[in-house]
Amino acid sequence: MTELAPETRARVAARLRDQRIETASWAYGNSGTRFKVFPQEGVPRDPYEKLADAAVVHRYTGVAPTVALHIPWDLVEDYADLARHATELGVRVGTINSNVFQDNDYKLGSVTNPDAGVRRKAIGHLLECIDVMDRTGSRDLKLWFSDGTNYPGQDDVRTRQDRLAVALAETYARLGDEQRMLLEYKLFEPAFYMTDVPDWGTAYAHCIALGERAQVVIDTGHHAPGTNIEFIVAVLLRAGKLGGFDFNSRFYADDDLMVGAADPFQLFRILHEIVLADALSGRGIAFMLDQCHNIEPKIQAVIRSVLNVQEATAKALLVDHAALKAAQDDGDVLGANEVLMDAYHTDVRPLLRSVREDMGLDPDPIGAYKRSGYLEKVRAERVGGTQAGWGA
Ligand code: RM4
Ligand code: MN
């Protein structure tokens, strides 16, 4: 790497030290496709053990102090006790994810179901999730709806939007002053013809109607192939409506692979928009991982994912904004593009190693984790019981 000017290094290092990335409890449990779930030895058997694994990721990366929960996958008797357990481990409970997609009642939808009783049950669950937030000190409620239809004519599109708006309004009204609602969209699946919140525009329209504590969350795997996600980032940032990300990567559909694995350049372009808007920290944007590690070792994969986000962030921070603006103002198409590509092609790994040393961490988080013997330890300890996975 060409030597960085000391002031550039100091500026970039400070931002990297401040960055926060939230990991997801379900990434530590067993997961798979609809064809097969391959269990792994040492997988957590309850939310307490998931938090222990998440704490290990934070121990070696220093930038992942919060863990998203999924209700009811992370159902416990006493959420305050779970939050205390997290604190003892050096982490905190992060975003609460609602789940209104795994009950037989939701075959025709949850909050958009034609049956008012089912809609009431679904809204009840969303309100319960806010109770969990109150007990755990979580700031954000993340809503993702599998709702939609499989066949043209199956249900009325506008009526379903009306039902959705009613459910969101009731949930929004229950939020505390410091709490937010993050509305996630997804193009398709499990509904195949029409999804009730298929894109950022629909999510944005509902959030606008609700108020300022309703914001859009971008799951990077939830778009049509070729979608310019960084454009969506820029537009939502400009509108003050970007609440967070569910990072992951995809080759085909919602693959939930490690962020930065399929397309590190896309991740860089997204983070470039974030850095340009000075929204890396202090703007409340939640940078979360929403991934499943079906065949790879889970904790190591989460660490790798955190490092991938850090590397893309470091590159984005290295973009020379003055040179970029000058080239743009001159109409210098290739010059402007080169400024961006120069940053993207920089090997930022030495910089990140030294940032970690500054933070008192091992410069090589994956090596340090492997040498710690943690996986061997939990493999030996976590025998018996039922491993955590989908469908709790
Ligand atoms: C959904 C969506 C949600 C996540 C679940 C597991 O597709 O991405 O964010 O909580 O999957
Ligand atoms: Mn998601």
Side-chain angles (χ1 to χ4, degrees), residues 111 118-128 166-167 170-171:
V111 294
V118 176
R119 298 202 294 275
R120 174 77 356 244
K121 170 174 166 169
I123 295 171
H125 173 73
L126 305 183
L127 300 178
E128 271 168 30
V166 166
E170 185 172 342
T171 310

Side-chain angles (χ1 to χ4, degrees), residues 142 184 219 222 246 248 290:
K142 176 138 63 77
E184 182 171 354
D219 183 313
H222 288 189
D246 267 2
N248 51 55
D290 177 11

Side-chain angles (χ1 to χ4, degrees), residues 12 60 86 107 113 140 157 169 205 214 217 219 310 331 352 357:
V12 173
Y60 294 107
K107 185 167 80 174
N113 196 298
D140 294 335
V157 175
V217 62
D219 183 313
Q310 286 186 301
L352 276 160
E357 277 169 343

Side-chain angles (χ1 to χ4, degrees), residues 26 70 73 97-98 101 142 144 184 186 219 222 246 254 256 290:
W26 54 97
H70 210 295
W73 295 345
N97 288 253
S98 59
F101 52 90
K142 176 138 63 77
W144 173 69
E184 182 171 354
K186 181 175 177 177
D219 183 313
H222 288 189
D246 267 2
D254 188 20
D256 279 340
D290 177 11

